[in-house]
Short mmCIF file of all heavy atoms in Angstrom, two decimals:
data_model
loop_
_atom_site.label_atom_id
_atom_site.label_comp_id
_atom_site.label_asym_id
_atom_site.label_seq_id
_atom_site.Cartn_x
_atom_site.Cartn_y
_atom_site.Cartn_z
N MET A 1380 -12.65 63.85 90.00
CA MET A 1380 -13.15 62.87 89.05
C MET A 1380 -14.67 63.08 88.85
O MET A 1380 -15.39 63.36 89.79
CB MET A 1380 -12.87 61.47 89.56
CG MET A 1380 -13.41 60.37 88.67
SD MET A 1380 -12.82 58.75 89.19
CE MET A 1380 -11.98 58.31 87.70
N ALA A 1381 -15.12 62.96 87.64
CA ALA A 1381 -16.54 63.17 87.32
C ALA A 1381 -17.37 62.00 87.82
O ALA A 1381 -16.94 60.86 87.83
CB ALA A 1381 -16.71 63.32 85.82
N THR A 1382 -18.57 62.32 88.25
CA THR A 1382 -19.49 61.29 88.70
C THR A 1382 -20.19 60.66 87.51
O THR A 1382 -20.19 61.22 86.40
CB THR A 1382 -20.55 61.88 89.64
OG1 THR A 1382 -21.34 62.81 88.90
CG2 THR A 1382 -19.91 62.57 90.84
N ASP A 1383 -20.80 59.50 87.74
CA ASP A 1383 -21.57 58.86 86.68
C ASP A 1383 -22.68 59.77 86.19
O ASP A 1383 -22.94 59.85 84.99
CB ASP A 1383 -22.16 57.54 87.16
CG ASP A 1383 -21.12 56.45 87.33
OD1 ASP A 1383 -20.02 56.58 86.74
OD2 ASP A 1383 -21.40 55.47 88.03
N LYS A 1384 -23.35 60.48 87.10
CA LYS A 1384 -24.44 61.38 86.74
C LYS A 1384 -23.91 62.50 85.84
O LYS A 1384 -24.52 62.85 84.84
CB LYS A 1384 -25.08 61.95 88.01
CG LYS A 1384 -26.11 63.02 87.76
CD LYS A 1384 -27.44 62.45 87.39
CE LYS A 1384 -28.53 63.49 87.40
NZ LYS A 1384 -28.89 63.98 86.09
N HIS A 1385 -22.76 63.06 86.21
CA HIS A 1385 -22.18 64.13 85.39
C HIS A 1385 -21.85 63.63 83.98
O HIS A 1385 -22.12 64.31 82.99
CB HIS A 1385 -20.91 64.69 86.05
CG HIS A 1385 -20.22 65.72 85.23
ND1 HIS A 1385 -20.64 67.03 85.16
CD2 HIS A 1385 -19.15 65.63 84.39
CE1 HIS A 1385 -19.87 67.69 84.33
NE2 HIS A 1385 -18.95 66.87 83.86
N LEU A 1386 -21.29 62.44 83.90
CA LEU A 1386 -20.96 61.87 82.60
C LEU A 1386 -22.21 61.61 81.77
O LEU A 1386 -22.25 61.91 80.57
CB LEU A 1386 -20.15 60.58 82.76
CG LEU A 1386 -18.76 60.75 83.34
CD1 LEU A 1386 -18.12 59.38 83.61
CD2 LEU A 1386 -17.89 61.58 82.43
N GLU A 1387 -23.24 61.08 82.40
CA GLU A 1387 -24.50 60.84 81.69
C GLU A 1387 -25.10 62.15 81.20
O GLU A 1387 -25.57 62.24 80.06
CB GLU A 1387 -25.50 60.14 82.61
CG GLU A 1387 -25.17 58.70 82.89
CD GLU A 1387 -26.11 58.08 83.91
OE1 GLU A 1387 -27.22 58.62 84.13
OE2 GLU A 1387 -25.72 57.07 84.50
N ASP A 1388 -25.07 63.17 82.07
CA ASP A 1388 -25.61 64.48 81.69
C ASP A 1388 -24.83 65.09 80.53
O ASP A 1388 -25.42 65.59 79.56
CB ASP A 1388 -25.59 65.44 82.87
CG ASP A 1388 -26.62 65.11 83.94
OD1 ASP A 1388 -27.48 64.24 83.70
OD2 ASP A 1388 -26.55 65.74 85.01
N SER A 1389 -23.51 65.05 80.61
CA SER A 1389 -22.71 65.64 79.54
C SER A 1389 -22.92 64.90 78.23
O SER A 1389 -23.00 65.53 77.16
CB SER A 1389 -21.23 65.70 79.91
OG SER A 1389 -20.67 64.42 80.03
N MET A 1390 -23.04 63.59 78.29
CA MET A 1390 -23.30 62.81 77.08
C MET A 1390 -24.67 63.17 76.49
O MET A 1390 -24.81 63.30 75.27
CB MET A 1390 -23.22 61.31 77.38
CG MET A 1390 -21.80 60.84 77.62
SD MET A 1390 -21.67 59.11 78.13
CE MET A 1390 -22.53 58.27 76.84
N ALA A 1391 -25.67 63.34 77.35
CA ALA A 1391 -27.01 63.69 76.87
C ALA A 1391 -27.02 65.06 76.20
O ALA A 1391 -27.61 65.23 75.13
CB ALA A 1391 -28.01 63.65 78.03
N VAL A 1392 -26.35 66.02 76.81
CA VAL A 1392 -26.28 67.37 76.24
C VAL A 1392 -25.52 67.34 74.91
O VAL A 1392 -25.98 67.91 73.91
CB VAL A 1392 -25.62 68.36 77.22
CG1 VAL A 1392 -25.33 69.69 76.54
CG2 VAL A 1392 -26.50 68.57 78.44
N CYS A 1393 -24.39 66.67 74.91
CA CYS A 1393 -23.59 66.61 73.69
C CYS A 1393 -24.34 65.92 72.56
O CYS A 1393 -24.30 66.38 71.41
CB CYS A 1393 -22.25 65.91 73.97
SG CYS A 1393 -21.09 66.94 74.90
N TRP A 1394 -25.03 64.84 72.86
CA TRP A 1394 -25.80 64.13 71.83
C TRP A 1394 -26.90 65.02 71.28
O TRP A 1394 -27.05 65.17 70.06
CB TRP A 1394 -26.38 62.83 72.36
CG TRP A 1394 -27.24 62.16 71.35
CD1 TRP A 1394 -28.60 62.12 71.32
CD2 TRP A 1394 -26.81 61.47 70.17
NE1 TRP A 1394 -29.04 61.46 70.21
CE2 TRP A 1394 -27.95 61.04 69.48
CE3 TRP A 1394 -25.56 61.19 69.63
CZ2 TRP A 1394 -27.88 60.34 68.28
CZ3 TRP A 1394 -25.50 60.49 68.44
CH2 TRP A 1394 -26.65 60.07 67.78
N ALA A 1395 -27.70 65.63 72.16
CA ALA A 1395 -28.80 66.48 71.71
C ALA A 1395 -28.28 67.64 70.87
O ALA A 1395 -28.84 67.96 69.81
CB ALA A 1395 -29.59 67.00 72.92
N ALA A 1396 -27.21 68.27 71.32
CA ALA A 1396 -26.64 69.40 70.58
C ALA A 1396 -26.10 68.96 69.23
O ALA A 1396 -26.29 69.66 68.22
CB ALA A 1396 -25.55 70.06 71.41
N SER A 1397 -25.46 67.81 69.18
CA SER A 1397 -24.90 67.33 67.91
C SER A 1397 -25.98 67.00 66.90
O SER A 1397 -25.74 67.03 65.70
CB SER A 1397 -24.00 66.11 68.14
OG SER A 1397 -24.76 64.96 68.43
N GLN A 1398 -27.18 66.69 67.40
CA GLN A 1398 -28.31 66.38 66.53
C GLN A 1398 -29.18 67.60 66.25
O GLN A 1398 -30.12 67.53 65.48
CB GLN A 1398 -29.18 65.28 67.17
CG GLN A 1398 -28.43 63.98 67.42
CD GLN A 1398 -27.85 63.41 66.15
OE1 GLN A 1398 -28.56 63.14 65.20
NE2 GLN A 1398 -26.53 63.24 66.13
N GLY A 1399 -28.88 68.71 66.92
CA GLY A 1399 -29.69 69.91 66.77
C GLY A 1399 -31.05 69.77 67.43
O GLY A 1399 -32.00 70.45 67.06
N ASP A 1400 -31.15 68.91 68.43
CA ASP A 1400 -32.42 68.61 69.09
C ASP A 1400 -32.70 69.61 70.22
O ASP A 1400 -32.40 69.35 71.39
CB ASP A 1400 -32.39 67.18 69.62
CG ASP A 1400 -33.73 66.69 70.12
OD1 ASP A 1400 -34.64 67.52 70.33
OD2 ASP A 1400 -33.87 65.46 70.30
N VAL A 1401 -33.26 70.75 69.85
CA VAL A 1401 -33.54 71.81 70.81
C VAL A 1401 -34.56 71.35 71.84
O VAL A 1401 -34.45 71.70 73.02
CB VAL A 1401 -33.99 73.10 70.10
CG1 VAL A 1401 -34.37 74.18 71.10
CG2 VAL A 1401 -32.90 73.61 69.16
N HIS A 1402 -35.53 70.56 71.45
CA HIS A 1402 -36.53 70.07 72.41
C HIS A 1402 -35.88 69.24 73.51
O HIS A 1402 -36.23 69.38 74.69
CB HIS A 1402 -37.63 69.27 71.70
CG HIS A 1402 -38.47 70.10 70.80
ND1 HIS A 1402 -39.35 71.05 71.27
CD2 HIS A 1402 -38.55 70.14 69.45
CE1 HIS A 1402 -39.94 71.64 70.24
NE2 HIS A 1402 -39.45 71.12 69.12
N GLU A 1403 -34.93 68.41 73.15
CA GLU A 1403 -34.22 67.62 74.15
C GLU A 1403 -33.36 68.52 75.03
O GLU A 1403 -33.28 68.32 76.25
CB GLU A 1403 -33.37 66.53 73.50
CG GLU A 1403 -32.61 65.68 74.49
CD GLU A 1403 -33.45 64.84 75.43
OE1 GLU A 1403 -34.69 64.79 75.29
OE2 GLU A 1403 -32.87 64.23 76.34
N LEU A 1404 -32.72 69.51 74.45
CA LEU A 1404 -31.95 70.46 75.25
C LEU A 1404 -32.86 71.19 76.23
O LEU A 1404 -32.49 71.39 77.39
CB LEU A 1404 -31.22 71.45 74.35
CG LEU A 1404 -30.07 70.89 73.51
CD1 LEU A 1404 -29.58 71.92 72.51
CD2 LEU A 1404 -28.93 70.39 74.40
N GLN A 1405 -34.05 71.56 75.79
CA GLN A 1405 -35.02 72.21 76.68
C GLN A 1405 -35.42 71.28 77.82
O GLN A 1405 -35.53 71.70 78.97
CB GLN A 1405 -36.26 72.64 75.90
CG GLN A 1405 -36.01 73.76 74.93
CD GLN A 1405 -37.16 74.00 73.97
OE1 GLN A 1405 -37.93 73.11 73.67
NE2 GLN A 1405 -37.26 75.23 73.49
N ARG A 1406 -35.63 70.01 77.52
CA ARG A 1406 -36.02 69.03 78.53
C ARG A 1406 -34.89 68.87 79.55
O ARG A 1406 -35.12 68.88 80.76
CB ARG A 1406 -36.34 67.68 77.88
CG ARG A 1406 -36.92 66.66 78.85
CD ARG A 1406 -37.05 65.29 78.20
NE ARG A 1406 -35.77 64.63 78.01
CZ ARG A 1406 -35.08 64.05 78.99
NH1 ARG A 1406 -35.55 64.03 80.23
NH2 ARG A 1406 -33.93 63.48 78.74
N LEU A 1407 -33.66 68.75 79.06
CA LEU A 1407 -32.52 68.61 79.95
C LEU A 1407 -32.38 69.84 80.85
O LEU A 1407 -32.14 69.71 82.06
CB LEU A 1407 -31.24 68.38 79.14
CG LEU A 1407 -31.17 67.04 78.40
CD1 LEU A 1407 -30.04 67.06 77.38
CD2 LEU A 1407 -31.01 65.89 79.37
N TYR A 1408 -32.55 71.01 80.28
CA TYR A 1408 -32.49 72.25 81.04
C TYR A 1408 -33.56 72.26 82.13
O TYR A 1408 -33.29 72.63 83.28
CB TYR A 1408 -32.65 73.45 80.11
CG TYR A 1408 -32.62 74.77 80.81
CD1 TYR A 1408 -31.42 75.31 81.28
CD2 TYR A 1408 -33.79 75.49 81.01
CE1 TYR A 1408 -31.39 76.53 81.94
CE2 TYR A 1408 -33.77 76.72 81.67
CZ TYR A 1408 -32.58 77.22 82.13
OH TYR A 1408 -32.55 78.43 82.79
N ALA A 1409 -34.77 71.84 81.78
CA ALA A 1409 -35.87 71.81 82.74
C ALA A 1409 -35.57 70.88 83.92
O ALA A 1409 -36.04 71.11 85.04
CB ALA A 1409 -37.17 71.39 82.05
N TYR A 1410 -34.79 69.85 83.68
CA TYR A 1410 -34.41 68.91 84.73
C TYR A 1410 -33.17 69.35 85.50
O TYR A 1410 -32.68 68.63 86.36
CB TYR A 1410 -34.19 67.51 84.16
CG TYR A 1410 -35.47 66.76 83.95
CD1 TYR A 1410 -36.00 66.59 82.68
CD2 TYR A 1410 -36.17 66.23 85.03
CE1 TYR A 1410 -37.18 65.90 82.49
CE2 TYR A 1410 -37.36 65.54 84.84
CZ TYR A 1410 -37.86 65.39 83.57
OH TYR A 1410 -39.04 64.71 83.38
N GLY A 1411 -32.66 70.53 85.15
CA GLY A 1411 -31.53 71.07 85.89
C GLY A 1411 -30.16 70.59 85.45
O GLY A 1411 -29.17 70.76 86.17
N VAL A 1412 -30.10 69.99 84.26
CA VAL A 1412 -28.82 69.50 83.74
C VAL A 1412 -27.96 70.70 83.34
O VAL A 1412 -28.44 71.67 82.77
CB VAL A 1412 -29.06 68.57 82.52
CG1 VAL A 1412 -27.76 68.23 81.83
CG2 VAL A 1412 -29.79 67.31 82.97
N ASP A 1413 -26.68 70.62 83.65
CA ASP A 1413 -25.71 71.66 83.28
C ASP A 1413 -25.47 71.59 81.78
O ASP A 1413 -24.84 70.66 81.28
CB ASP A 1413 -24.40 71.42 84.04
CG ASP A 1413 -23.30 72.39 83.65
OD1 ASP A 1413 -23.57 73.37 82.91
OD2 ASP A 1413 -22.17 72.17 84.11
N LEU A 1414 -25.99 72.58 81.05
CA LEU A 1414 -25.87 72.59 79.59
C LEU A 1414 -24.45 72.88 79.13
O LEU A 1414 -24.13 72.69 77.96
CB LEU A 1414 -26.84 73.59 78.98
CG LEU A 1414 -28.31 73.30 79.21
CD1 LEU A 1414 -29.16 74.40 78.57
CD2 LEU A 1414 -28.71 71.94 78.67
N GLY A 1415 -23.58 73.30 80.02
CA GLY A 1415 -22.19 73.55 79.68
C GLY A 1415 -21.28 72.39 80.02
O GLY A 1415 -20.06 72.49 79.91
N ALA A 1416 -21.88 71.27 80.43
CA ALA A 1416 -21.09 70.10 80.81
C ALA A 1416 -20.26 69.60 79.64
O ALA A 1416 -20.70 69.62 78.49
CB ALA A 1416 -22.01 68.99 81.31
N ALA A 1417 -19.05 69.15 79.94
CA ALA A 1417 -18.13 68.69 78.90
C ALA A 1417 -17.93 67.18 78.97
O ALA A 1417 -18.07 66.57 80.04
CB ALA A 1417 -16.78 69.37 79.08
N ASP A 1418 -17.61 66.58 77.82
CA ASP A 1418 -17.32 65.14 77.77
C ASP A 1418 -15.86 64.91 78.17
O ASP A 1418 -15.15 65.82 78.59
CB ASP A 1418 -17.66 64.55 76.41
CG ASP A 1418 -16.74 64.97 75.27
OD1 ASP A 1418 -15.73 65.67 75.52
OD2 ASP A 1418 -17.02 64.60 74.13
N TYR A 1419 -15.38 63.70 78.02
CA TYR A 1419 -14.03 63.32 78.44
C TYR A 1419 -12.93 64.07 77.70
O TYR A 1419 -11.81 64.17 78.18
CB TYR A 1419 -13.84 61.81 78.26
CG TYR A 1419 -14.14 61.32 76.87
CD1 TYR A 1419 -13.16 61.29 75.90
CD2 TYR A 1419 -15.42 60.91 76.53
CE1 TYR A 1419 -13.44 60.87 74.61
CE2 TYR A 1419 -15.72 60.48 75.24
CZ TYR A 1419 -14.73 60.47 74.29
OH TYR A 1419 -15.01 60.06 73.02
N ASP A 1420 -13.24 64.62 76.52
CA ASP A 1420 -12.26 65.41 75.77
C ASP A 1420 -12.44 66.91 75.98
O ASP A 1420 -11.79 67.71 75.32
CB ASP A 1420 -12.36 65.11 74.27
CG ASP A 1420 -11.62 63.85 73.88
OD1 ASP A 1420 -10.64 63.50 74.56
OD2 ASP A 1420 -12.03 63.21 72.89
N GLY A 1421 -13.37 67.27 76.86
CA GLY A 1421 -13.62 68.68 77.11
C GLY A 1421 -14.56 69.31 76.10
O GLY A 1421 -14.75 70.52 76.10
N ARG A 1422 -15.14 68.49 75.23
CA ARG A 1422 -16.10 69.03 74.26
C ARG A 1422 -17.45 69.23 74.94
O ARG A 1422 -17.87 68.42 75.76
CB ARG A 1422 -16.27 68.09 73.08
CG ARG A 1422 -15.05 68.02 72.20
CD ARG A 1422 -15.21 66.97 71.16
NE ARG A 1422 -15.31 65.68 71.84
CZ ARG A 1422 -15.06 64.51 71.30
NH1 ARG A 1422 -14.72 64.44 70.04
NH2 ARG A 1422 -15.16 63.41 71.99
N THR A 1423 -18.10 70.31 74.56
CA THR A 1423 -19.41 70.64 75.13
C THR A 1423 -20.47 70.58 74.04
O THR A 1423 -20.16 70.44 72.85
CB THR A 1423 -19.38 72.06 75.72
OG1 THR A 1423 -19.19 73.00 74.64
CG2 THR A 1423 -18.30 72.23 76.77
N GLY A 1424 -21.69 70.74 74.47
CA GLY A 1424 -22.79 70.82 73.52
C GLY A 1424 -22.57 71.96 72.53
O GLY A 1424 -22.90 71.85 71.35
N MET A 1425 -22.00 73.06 73.02
CA MET A 1425 -21.74 74.20 72.14
C MET A 1425 -20.75 73.81 71.04
O MET A 1425 -20.94 74.15 69.87
CB MET A 1425 -21.20 75.39 72.93
CG MET A 1425 -21.04 76.64 72.10
SD MET A 1425 -22.59 77.27 71.41
CE MET A 1425 -23.27 78.05 72.87
N HIS A 1426 -19.68 73.09 71.40
CA HIS A 1426 -18.73 72.61 70.39
C HIS A 1426 -19.46 71.81 69.31
O HIS A 1426 -19.24 72.01 68.12
CB HIS A 1426 -17.69 71.66 71.02
CG HIS A 1426 -16.59 72.31 71.75
ND1 HIS A 1426 -16.50 72.28 73.12
CD2 HIS A 1426 -15.49 72.97 71.32
CE1 HIS A 1426 -15.41 72.90 73.50
NE2 HIS A 1426 -14.77 73.34 72.43
N LEU A 1427 -20.28 70.87 69.76
CA LEU A 1427 -20.91 69.94 68.82
C LEU A 1427 -22.00 70.60 67.99
O LEU A 1427 -22.10 70.34 66.79
CB LEU A 1427 -21.42 68.72 69.57
CG LEU A 1427 -20.26 67.91 70.16
CD1 LEU A 1427 -20.75 66.95 71.20
CD2 LEU A 1427 -19.50 67.20 69.07
N ALA A 1428 -22.79 71.47 68.61
CA ALA A 1428 -23.82 72.19 67.84
C ALA A 1428 -23.16 73.04 66.76
O ALA A 1428 -23.61 73.07 65.61
CB ALA A 1428 -24.68 73.04 68.77
N ALA A 1429 -22.06 73.71 67.13
CA ALA A 1429 -21.36 74.57 66.17
C ALA A 1429 -20.73 73.75 65.05
O ALA A 1429 -20.85 74.10 63.87
CB ALA A 1429 -20.29 75.39 66.88
N SER A 1430 -20.08 72.65 65.40
CA SER A 1430 -19.40 71.86 64.37
C SER A 1430 -20.37 71.20 63.41
O SER A 1430 -20.02 70.92 62.26
CB SER A 1430 -18.48 70.82 65.01
OG SER A 1430 -19.23 69.82 65.66
N GLU A 1431 -21.60 70.98 63.86
CA GLU A 1431 -22.61 70.37 63.00
C GLU A 1431 -23.53 71.40 62.34
O GLU A 1431 -24.43 71.05 61.59
CB GLU A 1431 -23.47 69.37 63.81
CG GLU A 1431 -22.68 68.19 64.35
CD GLU A 1431 -22.15 67.28 63.25
OE1 GLU A 1431 -22.78 67.18 62.18
OE2 GLU A 1431 -21.08 66.67 63.46
N GLY A 1432 -23.31 72.68 62.64
CA GLY A 1432 -24.08 73.74 62.01
C GLY A 1432 -25.51 73.88 62.52
O GLY A 1432 -26.38 74.34 61.79
N HIS A 1433 -25.73 73.54 63.79
CA HIS A 1433 -27.09 73.61 64.36
C HIS A 1433 -27.28 74.96 65.07
O HIS A 1433 -27.12 75.08 66.28
CB HIS A 1433 -27.33 72.45 65.31
CG HIS A 1433 -27.30 71.13 64.64
ND1 HIS A 1433 -28.15 70.80 63.60
CD2 HIS A 1433 -26.52 70.04 64.84
CE1 HIS A 1433 -27.90 69.57 63.20
NE2 HIS A 1433 -26.91 69.09 63.93
N LEU A 1434 -27.63 75.96 64.27
CA LEU A 1434 -27.75 77.33 64.75
C LEU A 1434 -28.79 77.47 65.86
O LEU A 1434 -28.56 78.16 66.86
CB LEU A 1434 -28.08 78.27 63.59
CG LEU A 1434 -28.16 79.75 63.93
CD1 LEU A 1434 -26.84 80.24 64.51
CD2 LEU A 1434 -28.53 80.55 62.69
N GLU A 1435 -29.94 76.83 65.73
CA GLU A 1435 -30.99 76.97 66.74
C GLU A 1435 -30.55 76.37 68.07
O GLU A 1435 -30.84 76.93 69.14
CB GLU A 1435 -32.30 76.34 66.27
CG GLU A 1435 -32.96 77.08 65.12
CD GLU A 1435 -33.16 78.57 65.38
OE1 GLU A 1435 -33.68 78.92 66.47
OE2 GLU A 1435 -32.80 79.38 64.52
N ALA A 1436 -29.83 75.27 68.04
CA ALA A 1436 -29.29 74.68 69.27
C ALA A 1436 -28.27 75.63 69.89
O ALA A 1436 -28.26 75.83 71.11
CB ALA A 1436 -28.66 73.32 68.99
N MET A 1437 -27.43 76.24 69.06
CA MET A 1437 -26.45 77.20 69.56
C MET A 1437 -27.14 78.39 70.20
O MET A 1437 -26.75 78.84 71.28
CB MET A 1437 -25.54 77.67 68.44
CG MET A 1437 -24.60 76.59 67.91
SD MET A 1437 -23.66 77.14 66.48
CE MET A 1437 -22.78 78.54 67.15
N LYS A 1438 -28.18 78.91 69.56
CA LYS A 1438 -28.93 80.04 70.10
C LYS A 1438 -29.54 79.69 71.45
O LYS A 1438 -29.52 80.50 72.38
CB LYS A 1438 -30.02 80.49 69.13
CG LYS A 1438 -29.52 81.22 67.93
CD LYS A 1438 -30.69 81.59 67.03
CE LYS A 1438 -30.28 82.30 65.78
NZ LYS A 1438 -31.45 82.63 64.92
N PHE A 1439 -30.10 78.49 71.56
CA PHE A 1439 -30.69 78.07 72.82
C PHE A 1439 -29.62 78.00 73.91
O PHE A 1439 -29.82 78.50 75.02
CB PHE A 1439 -31.39 76.71 72.68
CG PHE A 1439 -31.96 76.21 73.97
CD1 PHE A 1439 -33.15 76.72 74.46
CD2 PHE A 1439 -31.30 75.25 74.71
CE1 PHE A 1439 -33.66 76.29 75.67
CE2 PHE A 1439 -31.80 74.80 75.91
CZ PHE A 1439 -32.99 75.32 76.40
N LEU A 1440 -28.50 77.38 73.60
CA LEU A 1440 -27.43 77.26 74.59
C LEU A 1440 -26.92 78.64 75.01
O LEU A 1440 -26.70 78.89 76.20
CB LEU A 1440 -26.30 76.41 74.02
CG LEU A 1440 -26.64 74.93 73.80
CD1 LEU A 1440 -25.53 74.24 73.03
CD2 LEU A 1440 -26.91 74.22 75.12
N LEU A 1441 -26.76 79.53 74.05
CA LEU A 1441 -26.32 80.90 74.37
C LEU A 1441 -27.33 81.60 75.27
O LEU A 1441 -26.95 82.28 76.22
CB LEU A 1441 -26.12 81.71 73.10
CG LEU A 1441 -24.86 81.40 72.31
CD1 LEU A 1441 -24.90 82.10 70.95
CD2 LEU A 1441 -23.64 81.81 73.08
N ALA A 1442 -28.62 81.44 74.97
CA ALA A 1442 -29.67 82.08 75.76
C ALA A 1442 -29.67 81.57 77.20
O ALA A 1442 -30.11 82.29 78.11
CB ALA A 1442 -31.04 81.82 75.11
N LYS A 1443 -29.16 80.38 77.42
CA LYS A 1443 -29.10 79.80 78.76
C LYS A 1443 -27.76 80.05 79.44
O LYS A 1443 -27.49 79.52 80.50
CB LYS A 1443 -29.40 78.30 78.72
CG LYS A 1443 -30.78 77.98 78.17
CD LYS A 1443 -31.86 78.73 78.93
CE LYS A 1443 -33.23 78.47 78.36
NZ LYS A 1443 -34.22 79.44 78.82
N GLY A 1444 -26.93 80.89 78.82
CA GLY A 1444 -25.69 81.31 79.45
C GLY A 1444 -24.51 80.37 79.29
O GLY A 1444 -23.51 80.50 80.01
N VAL A 1445 -24.60 79.44 78.35
CA VAL A 1445 -23.49 78.52 78.13
C VAL A 1445 -22.32 79.28 77.51
O VAL A 1445 -22.51 80.16 76.66
CB VAL A 1445 -23.94 77.36 77.21
CG1 VAL A 1445 -22.77 76.48 76.81
CG2 VAL A 1445 -25.01 76.53 77.92
N ASP A 1446 -21.12 78.96 77.95
CA ASP A 1446 -19.90 79.59 77.46
C ASP A 1446 -19.81 79.50 75.94
O ASP A 1446 -19.95 78.42 75.37
CB ASP A 1446 -18.69 78.90 78.10
CG ASP A 1446 -17.36 79.56 77.77
OD1 ASP A 1446 -17.35 80.62 77.12
OD2 ASP A 1446 -16.33 79.00 78.18
N VAL A 1447 -19.57 80.63 75.32
CA VAL A 1447 -19.53 80.69 73.86
C VAL A 1447 -18.18 80.22 73.30
O VAL A 1447 -18.08 79.86 72.14
CB VAL A 1447 -19.88 82.10 73.35
CG1 VAL A 1447 -18.78 83.09 73.70
CG2 VAL A 1447 -20.13 82.11 71.87
N GLU A 1448 -17.14 80.21 74.12
CA GLU A 1448 -15.82 79.80 73.65
C GLU A 1448 -15.17 78.77 74.56
O GLU A 1448 -14.01 78.94 74.97
CB GLU A 1448 -14.92 81.03 73.51
CG GLU A 1448 -15.37 81.96 72.41
CD GLU A 1448 -14.36 83.08 72.17
OE1 GLU A 1448 -13.18 82.92 72.46
OE2 GLU A 1448 -14.82 84.13 71.69
N PRO A 1449 -15.84 77.67 74.84
CA PRO A 1449 -15.19 76.65 75.67
C PRO A 1449 -14.03 76.04 74.88
O PRO A 1449 -14.07 75.96 73.66
CB PRO A 1449 -16.30 75.63 75.90
CG PRO A 1449 -17.17 75.76 74.69
CD PRO A 1449 -17.14 77.23 74.33
N ARG A 1450 -13.00 75.62 75.57
CA ARG A 1450 -11.85 74.98 74.92
C ARG A 1450 -11.83 73.50 75.29
O ARG A 1450 -11.89 73.16 76.46
CB ARG A 1450 -10.55 75.63 75.34
CG ARG A 1450 -10.45 77.05 74.83
CD ARG A 1450 -9.02 77.48 74.64
NE ARG A 1450 -9.00 78.81 74.10
CZ ARG A 1450 -8.94 79.08 72.80
NH1 ARG A 1450 -8.90 78.10 71.91
NH2 ARG A 1450 -8.92 80.32 72.36
N ASP A 1451 -11.71 72.65 74.27
CA ASP A 1451 -11.58 71.22 74.55
C ASP A 1451 -10.11 70.91 74.85
O ASP A 1451 -9.28 71.81 74.86
CB ASP A 1451 -12.13 70.38 73.39
CG ASP A 1451 -11.38 70.55 72.08
OD1 ASP A 1451 -10.22 71.03 72.09
OD2 ASP A 1451 -11.95 70.19 71.04
N ARG A 1452 -9.80 69.67 75.10
CA ARG A 1452 -8.43 69.34 75.50
C ARG A 1452 -7.40 69.53 74.38
O ARG A 1452 -6.21 69.54 74.61
CB ARG A 1452 -8.35 67.92 76.04
CG ARG A 1452 -8.44 66.84 75.03
CD ARG A 1452 -8.27 65.49 75.72
NE ARG A 1452 -8.31 64.43 74.74
CZ ARG A 1452 -7.59 63.35 74.80
NH1 ARG A 1452 -6.79 63.16 75.83
NH2 ARG A 1452 -7.68 62.43 73.87
N PHE A 1453 -7.89 69.73 73.16
CA PHE A 1453 -7.02 69.99 72.03
C PHE A 1453 -6.89 71.48 71.73
O PHE A 1453 -6.24 71.87 70.77
CB PHE A 1453 -7.53 69.24 70.78
CG PHE A 1453 -7.79 67.80 71.04
CD1 PHE A 1453 -9.08 67.32 71.18
CD2 PHE A 1453 -6.74 66.90 71.17
CE1 PHE A 1453 -9.33 65.98 71.42
CE2 PHE A 1453 -6.97 65.57 71.42
CZ PHE A 1453 -8.26 65.10 71.55
N GLY A 1454 -7.58 72.30 72.53
CA GLY A 1454 -7.55 73.75 72.36
C GLY A 1454 -8.59 74.28 71.41
O GLY A 1454 -8.63 75.48 71.15
N GLY A 1455 -9.45 73.39 70.89
CA GLY A 1455 -10.49 73.83 69.96
C GLY A 1455 -11.64 74.55 70.64
O GLY A 1455 -11.95 74.28 71.79
N THR A 1456 -12.22 75.52 69.92
CA THR A 1456 -13.39 76.23 70.43
C THR A 1456 -14.59 75.93 69.57
O THR A 1456 -14.46 75.41 68.49
CB THR A 1456 -13.16 77.75 70.44
OG1 THR A 1456 -12.86 78.18 69.12
CG2 THR A 1456 -12.08 78.15 71.40
#
């Protein structure tokens, strides 16, 4: 089961990525947050950055080694 901290971190990453907020992603990374963390549906920041067309956020996540093809609980990448 995920901890409250893990859930908070995944929500922060997903929100920043969905908004294309690279500065927030950089801040989260600096604090040691797992940028590949997934939400309750298995969606990651990469899913949300891609679905919203935030190329710079995607590039940042890729540069930090985040999985390029994570699968959510529905099988989406």
